[in-house]
mmCIF file of all heavy atoms in Angstrom:
data_model
loop_
_atom_site.group_PDB
_atom_site.id
_atom_site.type_symbol
_atom_site.label_atom_id
_atom_site.label_comp_id
_atom_site.label_asym_id
_atom_site.label_seq_id
_atom_site.Cartn_x
_atom_site.Cartn_y
_atom_site.Cartn_z
ATOM 1 N N ILE X 544 -34.180 52.221 -7.134
ATOM 2 C CA ILE X 544 -33.283 51.474 -8.013
ATOM 3 C C ILE X 544 -33.059 50.062 -7.470
ATOM 4 O O ILE X 544 -33.099 49.061 -8.204
ATOM 5 C CB ILE X 544 -31.938 52.205 -8.167
ATOM 6 C CG1 ILE X 544 -32.138 53.545 -8.876
ATOM 7 C CG2 ILE X 544 -30.932 51.329 -8.909
ATOM 8 C CD1 ILE X 544 -32.632 53.417 -10.302
ATOM 9 N N LEU X 545 -32.831 49.955 -6.182
ATOM 10 C CA LEU X 545 -32.585 48.662 -5.573
ATOM 11 C C LEU X 545 -33.808 47.748 -5.714
ATOM 12 O O LEU X 545 -33.672 46.552 -6.006
ATOM 13 C CB LEU X 545 -32.221 48.845 -4.096
ATOM 14 C CG LEU X 545 -31.559 47.652 -3.395
ATOM 15 C CD1 LEU X 545 -30.275 47.249 -4.091
ATOM 16 C CD2 LEU X 545 -31.270 47.994 -1.932
ATOM 17 N N LYS X 546 -35.001 48.331 -5.545
ATOM 18 C CA LYS X 546 -36.222 47.531 -5.691
ATOM 19 C C LYS X 546 -36.388 47.059 -7.132
ATOM 20 O O LYS X 546 -36.786 45.916 -7.396
ATOM 21 C CB LYS X 546 -37.439 48.353 -5.272
ATOM 22 C CG LYS X 546 -38.748 47.565 -5.336
ATOM 23 C CD LYS X 546 -39.921 48.410 -4.898
ATOM 24 C CE LYS X 546 -41.220 47.579 -4.863
ATOM 25 N NZ LYS X 546 -41.517 46.938 -6.144
ATOM 26 N N GLN X 547 -36.077 47.920 -8.094
ATOM 27 C CA GLN X 547 -36.183 47.532 -9.500
ATOM 28 C C GLN X 547 -35.263 46.362 -9.807
ATOM 29 O O GLN X 547 -35.652 45.402 -10.486
ATOM 30 C CB GLN X 547 -35.839 48.726 -10.398
ATOM 31 C CG GLN X 547 -35.892 48.415 -11.889
ATOM 32 C CD GLN X 547 -35.545 49.626 -12.752
ATOM 33 O OE1 GLN X 547 -35.635 50.772 -12.288
ATOM 34 N NE2 GLN X 547 -35.155 49.380 -13.982
ATOM 35 N N LEU X 548 -34.029 46.450 -9.316
ATOM 36 C CA LEU X 548 -33.079 45.358 -9.548
ATOM 37 C C LEU X 548 -33.508 44.080 -8.828
ATOM 38 O O LEU X 548 -33.393 42.976 -9.366
ATOM 39 C CB LEU X 548 -31.681 45.772 -9.088
ATOM 40 C CG LEU X 548 -31.004 46.874 -9.909
ATOM 41 C CD1 LEU X 548 -29.714 47.313 -9.228
ATOM 42 C CD2 LEU X 548 -30.729 46.399 -11.333
ATOM 43 N N LEU X 549 -34.015 44.237 -7.621
ATOM 44 C CA LEU X 549 -34.434 43.083 -6.847
ATOM 45 C C LEU X 549 -35.606 42.375 -7.528
ATOM 46 O O LEU X 549 -35.635 41.139 -7.617
ATOM 47 C CB LEU X 549 -34.818 43.519 -5.441
ATOM 48 C CG LEU X 549 -35.162 42.397 -4.449
ATOM 49 C CD1 LEU X 549 -33.980 41.463 -4.260
ATOM 50 C CD2 LEU X 549 -35.588 43.003 -3.111
ATOM 51 N N ASP X 550 -36.551 43.146 -8.036
ATOM 52 C CA ASP X 550 -37.681 42.554 -8.757
ATOM 53 C C ASP X 550 -37.193 41.815 -10.005
ATOM 54 O O ASP X 550 -37.730 40.761 -10.364
ATOM 55 C CB ASP X 550 -38.681 43.636 -9.160
ATOM 56 C CG ASP X 550 -39.440 44.206 -7.962
ATOM 57 O OD1 ASP X 550 -39.437 43.543 -6.904
ATOM 58 O OD2 ASP X 550 -40.025 45.308 -8.089
ATOM 59 N N GLY X 551 -36.187 42.388 -10.662
ATOM 60 C CA GLY X 551 -35.640 41.723 -11.846
ATOM 61 C C GLY X 551 -34.983 40.384 -11.506
ATOM 62 O O GLY X 551 -35.140 39.394 -12.230
ATOM 63 N N VAL X 552 -34.226 40.353 -10.405
ATOM 64 C CA VAL X 552 -33.593 39.093 -9.982
ATOM 65 C C VAL X 552 -34.663 38.062 -9.662
ATOM 66 O O VAL X 552 -34.577 36.894 -10.062
ATOM 67 C CB VAL X 552 -32.683 39.332 -8.764
ATOM 68 C CG1 VAL X 552 -32.191 37.995 -8.199
ATOM 69 C CG2 VAL X 552 -31.500 40.201 -9.141
ATOM 70 N N LYS X 553 -35.703 38.473 -8.932
ATOM 71 C CA LYS X 553 -36.773 37.544 -8.556
ATOM 72 C C LYS X 553 -37.440 36.964 -9.804
ATOM 73 O O LYS X 553 -37.773 35.770 -9.852
ATOM 74 C CB LYS X 553 -37.801 38.258 -7.684
ATOM 75 C CG LYS X 553 -37.282 38.594 -6.294
ATOM 76 C CD LYS X 553 -38.109 39.677 -5.611
ATOM 77 C CE LYS X 553 -39.563 39.306 -5.441
ATOM 78 N NZ LYS X 553 -40.310 40.366 -4.693
ATOM 79 N N ALA X 554 -37.622 37.794 -10.828
ATOM 80 C CA ALA X 554 -38.282 37.320 -12.048
ATOM 81 C C ALA X 554 -37.424 36.316 -12.807
ATOM 82 O O ALA X 554 -37.945 35.459 -13.534
ATOM 83 C CB ALA X 554 -38.622 38.506 -12.951
ATOM 84 N N GLN X 555 -36.112 36.440 -12.634
ATOM 85 C CA GLN X 555 -35.212 35.542 -13.379
ATOM 86 C C GLN X 555 -34.982 34.194 -12.688
ATOM 87 O O GLN X 555 -34.561 33.245 -13.334
ATOM 88 C CB GLN X 555 -33.845 36.211 -13.572
ATOM 89 C CG GLN X 555 -33.823 37.321 -14.596
ATOM 90 C CD GLN X 555 -32.407 37.827 -14.814
ATOM 91 O OE1 GLN X 555 -31.509 37.572 -14.025
ATOM 92 N NE2 GLN X 555 -32.216 38.563 -15.896
ATOM 93 N N ILE X 556 -35.241 34.116 -11.409
ATOM 94 C CA ILE X 556 -34.907 32.891 -10.668
ATOM 95 C C ILE X 556 -35.731 31.721 -11.205
ATOM 96 O O ILE X 556 -36.959 31.754 -11.202
ATOM 97 C CB ILE X 556 -35.159 33.062 -9.157
ATOM 98 C CG1 ILE X 556 -34.212 34.121 -8.588
ATOM 99 C CG2 ILE X 556 -34.983 31.739 -8.424
ATOM 100 C CD1 ILE X 556 -34.434 34.416 -7.114
ATOM 101 N N PRO X 557 -35.078 30.676 -11.688
ATOM 102 C CA PRO X 557 -35.811 29.535 -12.248
ATOM 103 C C PRO X 557 -36.268 28.590 -11.141
ATOM 104 O O PRO X 557 -35.778 28.639 -10.011
ATOM 105 C CB PRO X 557 -34.762 28.850 -13.126
ATOM 106 C CG PRO X 557 -33.478 29.103 -12.393
ATOM 107 C CD PRO X 557 -33.625 30.485 -11.760
ATOM 108 N N HIS X 558 -37.202 27.756 -11.492
ATOM 109 C CA HIS X 558 -37.526 26.661 -10.584
ATOM 110 C C HIS X 558 -36.335 25.710 -10.587
ATOM 111 O O HIS X 558 -35.920 25.225 -11.638
ATOM 112 C CB HIS X 558 -38.783 25.935 -11.047
ATOM 113 C CG HIS X 558 -40.038 26.730 -10.847
ATOM 114 N ND1 HIS X 558 -40.753 26.694 -9.675
ATOM 115 C CD2 HIS X 558 -40.687 27.604 -11.666
ATOM 116 C CE1 HIS X 558 -41.797 27.489 -9.782
ATOM 117 N NE2 HIS X 558 -41.783 28.064 -10.975
ATOM 118 N N PRO X 559 -35.760 25.429 -9.439
ATOM 119 C CA PRO X 559 -34.551 24.594 -9.421
ATOM 120 C C PRO X 559 -34.865 23.135 -9.717
ATOM 121 O O PRO X 559 -36.006 22.691 -9.540
ATOM 122 C CB PRO X 559 -34.045 24.757 -7.980
ATOM 123 C CG PRO X 559 -35.281 25.042 -7.185
ATOM 124 C CD PRO X 559 -36.171 25.847 -8.082
ATOM 125 N N PRO X 560 -33.869 22.366 -10.181
ATOM 126 C CA PRO X 560 -34.067 20.925 -10.367
ATOM 127 C C PRO X 560 -34.450 20.276 -9.039
ATOM 128 O O PRO X 560 -34.062 20.734 -7.963
ATOM 129 C CB PRO X 560 -32.695 20.436 -10.847
ATOM 130 C CG PRO X 560 -31.996 21.648 -11.343
ATOM 131 C CD PRO X 560 -32.511 22.795 -10.532
ATOM 132 N N THR X 561 -35.217 19.242 -9.131
ATOM 133 C CA THR X 561 -35.624 18.505 -7.941
ATOM 134 C C THR X 561 -34.958 17.134 -7.921
ATOM 135 O O THR X 561 -34.317 16.723 -8.894
ATOM 136 C CB THR X 561 -37.148 18.327 -7.915
ATOM 137 O OG1 THR X 561 -37.535 17.533 -9.052
ATOM 138 C CG2 THR X 561 -37.854 19.674 -7.956
ATOM 139 N N ALA X 562 -35.156 16.438 -6.814
ATOM 140 C CA ALA X 562 -34.586 15.102 -6.690
ATOM 141 C C ALA X 562 -35.079 14.191 -7.804
ATOM 142 O O ALA X 562 -34.346 13.314 -8.280
ATOM 143 C CB ALA X 562 -34.935 14.507 -5.323
ATOM 144 N N ARG X 563 -36.321 14.386 -8.251
ATOM 145 C CA ARG X 563 -36.849 13.552 -9.328
ATOM 146 C C ARG X 563 -36.028 13.705 -10.602
ATOM 147 O O ARG X 563 -35.861 12.763 -11.375
ATOM 148 C CB ARG X 563 -38.311 13.907 -9.609
ATOM 149 C CG ARG X 563 -39.027 12.896 -10.497
ATOM 150 C CD ARG X 563 -40.440 13.350 -10.814
ATOM 151 N NE ARG X 563 -41.265 13.487 -9.628
ATOM 152 C CZ ARG X 563 -41.877 12.470 -9.030
ATOM 153 N NH1 ARG X 563 -41.718 11.248 -9.492
ATOM 154 N NH2 ARG X 563 -42.626 12.686 -7.959
ATOM 155 N N ASP X 564 -35.493 14.905 -10.836
ATOM 156 C CA ASP X 564 -34.674 15.147 -12.023
ATOM 157 C C ASP X 564 -33.274 14.562 -11.882
ATOM 158 O O ASP X 564 -32.630 14.242 -12.879
ATOM 159 C CB ASP X 564 -34.562 16.651 -12.295
ATOM 160 C CG ASP X 564 -35.916 17.301 -12.510
ATOM 161 O OD1 ASP X 564 -36.708 16.753 -13.288
ATOM 162 O OD2 ASP X 564 -36.167 18.351 -11.896
ATOM 163 N N LEU X 565 -32.783 14.474 -10.646
ATOM 164 C CA LEU X 565 -31.388 14.097 -10.415
ATOM 165 C C LEU X 565 -31.188 12.628 -10.096
ATOM 166 O O LEU X 565 -30.130 12.076 -10.359
ATOM 167 C CB LEU X 565 -30.814 14.919 -9.243
ATOM 168 C CG LEU X 565 -30.851 16.429 -9.358
ATOM 169 C CD1 LEU X 565 -30.341 17.045 -8.065
ATOM 170 C CD2 LEU X 565 -30.023 16.904 -10.530
ATOM 171 N N MET X 566 -32.182 11.996 -9.524
ATOM 172 C CA MET X 566 -31.958 10.688 -8.905
ATOM 173 C C MET X 566 -31.696 9.593 -9.917
ATOM 174 O O MET X 566 -32.132 9.651 -11.066
ATOM 175 C CB MET X 566 -33.164 10.316 -8.045
ATOM 176 C CG MET X 566 -34.436 10.031 -8.840
ATOM 177 S SD MET X 566 -35.851 9.805 -7.728
ATOM 178 C CE MET X 566 -37.097 9.232 -8.883
ATOM 179 N N SER X 567 -30.960 8.591 -9.444
ATOM 180 C CA SER X 567 -30.766 7.358 -10.194
ATOM 181 C C SER X 567 -31.833 6.376 -9.753
ATOM 182 O O SER X 567 -32.124 6.247 -8.565
ATOM 183 C CB SER X 567 -29.376 6.776 -9.926
ATOM 184 O OG SER X 567 -28.370 7.665 -10.331
ATOM 185 N N SER X 568 -32.407 5.689 -10.719
ATOM 186 C CA SER X 568 -33.478 4.761 -10.407
ATOM 187 C C SER X 568 -33.516 3.702 -11.504
ATOM 188 O O SER X 568 -33.219 4.008 -12.662
ATOM 189 C CB SER X 568 -34.807 5.514 -10.365
ATOM 190 O OG SER X 568 -35.871 4.663 -10.041
ATOM 191 N N PRO X 569 -33.839 2.446 -11.187
ATOM 192 C CA PRO X 569 -34.177 1.907 -9.873
ATOM 193 C C PRO X 569 -32.944 1.842 -8.973
ATOM 194 O O PRO X 569 -31.816 1.906 -9.448
ATOM 195 C CB PRO X 569 -34.693 0.502 -10.197
ATOM 196 C CG PRO X 569 -33.941 0.132 -11.429
ATOM 197 C CD PRO X 569 -33.797 1.402 -12.225
ATOM 198 N N VAL X 570 -33.190 1.679 -7.678
ATOM 199 C CA VAL X 570 -32.109 1.664 -6.705
ATOM 200 C C VAL X 570 -31.672 0.214 -6.466
ATOM 201 O O VAL X 570 -32.504 -0.665 -6.252
ATOM 202 C CB VAL X 570 -32.562 2.289 -5.371
ATOM 203 C CG1 VAL X 570 -31.403 2.338 -4.384
ATOM 204 C CG2 VAL X 570 -33.123 3.680 -5.616
ATOM 205 N N ARG X 571 -30.360 0.006 -6.525
ATOM 206 C CA ARG X 571 -29.836 -1.329 -6.221
ATOM 207 C C ARG X 571 -29.791 -1.490 -4.705
ATOM 208 O O ARG X 571 -29.150 -0.706 -4.007
ATOM 209 C CB ARG X 571 -28.454 -1.500 -6.840
ATOM 210 C CG ARG X 571 -27.938 -2.912 -6.766
ATOM 211 C CD ARG X 571 -26.855 -3.137 -7.796
ATOM 212 N NE ARG X 571 -27.419 -3.239 -9.136
ATOM 213 C CZ ARG X 571 -27.355 -2.304 -10.058
ATOM 214 N NH1 ARG X 571 -26.748 -1.178 -9.792
ATOM 215 N NH2 ARG X 571 -27.895 -2.469 -11.253
ATOM 216 N N THR X 572 -30.487 -2.494 -4.194
ATOM 217 C CA THR X 572 -30.616 -2.673 -2.751
ATOM 218 C C THR X 572 -30.076 -4.034 -2.326
ATOM 219 O O THR X 572 -29.932 -4.952 -3.148
ATOM 220 C CB THR X 572 -32.089 -2.551 -2.318
ATOM 221 O OG1 THR X 572 -32.859 -3.566 -2.984
ATOM 222 C CG2 THR X 572 -32.639 -1.184 -2.658
#
Side-chain angles (χ1 to χ4, degrees):
I544 295 296
L545 196 58
K546 183 179 184 304
Q547 179 180 339
L548 292 172
L549 186 60
D550 289 342
V552 172
K553 290 161 59 177
Q555 286 186 344
I556 295 177
H558 288 272
T561 63
R563 193 184 299 278
D564 301 312
L565 303 176
M566 68 187 189
S567 299
S568 181
V570 183
R571 189 159 286 105
T572 60

